[in-house]
Amino acid sequence: GIQVEQSPPDLILQEGANSTLRCNFSDSVNNLQWFHQNPWGQLINLFYIPSGTKQNGRLSATTVATERYSLLYISSSQTTDSGVYFCAGAYNFNKFYFGSGTKLNVKP
Amino acid sequence: DTAVSQTPKYLVTQMGNDKSIKCEQNLGHDTMYWYKQDSKKFLKIMFSYNNKELIINETVPNRFSPKSPDKAHLNLHINSLELGDSAVYFCASSFRPGQGGEKLFFGSGTQLSVL
C-alpha cells in the first residue's frame, strides 16, 4: 500500500502563530484530503486537494502531485485549532491511506 | 441535519460477546466505509461498499462482518469480541471516484471497549 509520512509529529504553538504541516506520499495519489480530529474525537474534512492550492479562512493547502507531497498552512492559530491533523491519499476506489497525524497544541 | 450518524457512541462489553454498530448517511453518497482507529490514533480502512457491493475488504478477521442493506446504511457486526478489538470505529461516506465530490465525511465514531 501507499506509505504516508506526516511531519512534524507534534507541534506546540502560541496563539496567533503560523505553522506549516507536511505530508509525503510514497506513490502517486489522485485523491488527497486533509482532516482535523478535534479533542472530542470528531474527524472534520478540511480540504479535498488532489493538486493545486485552496484556501478556507485561516487555513490553506497546497498539493504538488508530481512531487507527491502536500502542505497545510495554519495562520493566526487559535486554541480551537488544537487536535490532530491527518492527511490521506487514495488511488482509485477511494482506498484511503492515512498518515500518523500531526498533534497540534495551541496555547493561549 | 445532513450527516453521517453512527450508533452507539460508546460500547462496553465482555470478551466473547457479539455486538453491532450501525451507520446511516443522508448525504446522497454511494460509497460507505468502516475505519478503525487504534490507541495511537492510526486510522486504517476495514471495508468499503459502493451501492451495496463490497469493493474493499482489507485483512480483517472474519469475526467482522459488514452489511449494507441499501446505499445509505452500512452496519458492522463483530462476533466473539476480543480484547484487541478495543478501538474507535468510524463510519464514513463519499461519492465514488470519477463522479466528483469525493470528499470523505466521517461519523462521530464508536468507542468500543472489550473487558
Side-chain angles (χ1 to χ4, degrees):
Chain A
I2 299 171
Q3 307 300 314
V4 184
E5 187 181 318
Q6 286 190 243
S7 59
D10 293 280
L11 188 57
I12 299 174
L13 295 176
Q14 207 62 39
E15 201 167 26
N18 303 327
S19 65
T20 301
L21 282 56
R22 186 177 176 110
C23 185
N24 291 331
F25 290 86
S26 63
D27 210 339
S28 296
V29 295
N30 57 9
N31 187 333
L32 194 158
Q33 304 191 27
W34 283 93
F35 299 87
H36 174 222
Q37 187 166 35
N38 64 25
W40 297 272
Q42 193 167 9
L43 280 157
I44 307 296
N45 193 304
L46 298 175
F47 292 102
Y48 164 69
I49 186 161
S51 63
T53 297
K54 286 187 179 177
Q55 179 143 13
N56 184 1
R58 296 180 295 104
L59 302 181
S60 65
T62 295
T63 296
V64 183
T66 53
E67 298 188 21
R68 303 198 300 264
Y69 74 87
S70 185
L71 304 172
L72 179 70
Y73 304 94
I74 305 174
S75 64
S76 304
S77 58
Q78 299 177 359
T79 55
T80 51
D81 295 331
S82 295
V84 183
Y85 289 81
F86 292 100
C87 63
Y91 189 82
N92 292 334
F93 300 111
N94 281 359
K95 185 175 179 179
F96 286 95
Y97 293 89
F98 278 76
S100 51
T102 291
K103 187 174 181 181
L104 174 63
N105 184 6
V106 180
K107 298 195 167 182
Chain B
D1 288 348
T2 54
V4 181
S5 57
Q6 59 182 103
T7 55
K9 187 160 177 62
Y10 300 98
L11 194 47
V12 181
T13 188
Q14 299 287 330
M15 239 178 6
N17 283 351
D18 304 338
K19 289 293 178 187
S20 292
I21 307 172
K22 295 186 175 182
C23 181
E24 175 182 3
Q25 56 92 8
N26 61 3
L27 297 166
H29 291 157
D30 58 1
T31 305
M32 295 185 73
Y33 314 79
W34 281 111
Y35 278 85
K36 180 180 180 180
Q37 187 172 45
D38 63 22
S39 58
K40 295 185 179 179
K41 299 283 192 183
F42 185 67
L43 277 155
K44 187 165 185 227
I45 190 165
M46 300 172 69
F47 303 103
S48 176
Y49 273 76
N50 174 259
N51 282 324
K52 303 194 296 177
E53 180 189 349
L54 182 65
I55 58 172
I56 296 174
N57 185 357
E58 288 297 277
T59 308
V60 174
N62 58 15
R63 298 181 295 102
F64 291 78
S65 52
K67 279 192 175 53
S68 181
D70 55 60
K71 72 175 189 177
H73 295 84
L74 179 62
N75 304 322
L76 183 65
H77 188 75
I78 316 170
N79 288 327
S80 304
L81 278 155
E82 301 178 358
L83 293 175
D85 298 332
S86 295
V88 181
Y89 293 84
F90 284 96
C91 176
S93 71
S94 74
F95 287 113
R96 188 154 183 173
Q99 298 180 6
E102 291 101 333
K103 281 181 82 167
L104 192 60
F105 291 87
F106 281 90
S108 55
T110 295
Q111 185 161 347
L112 173 64
S113 299
V114 183
L115 308 176

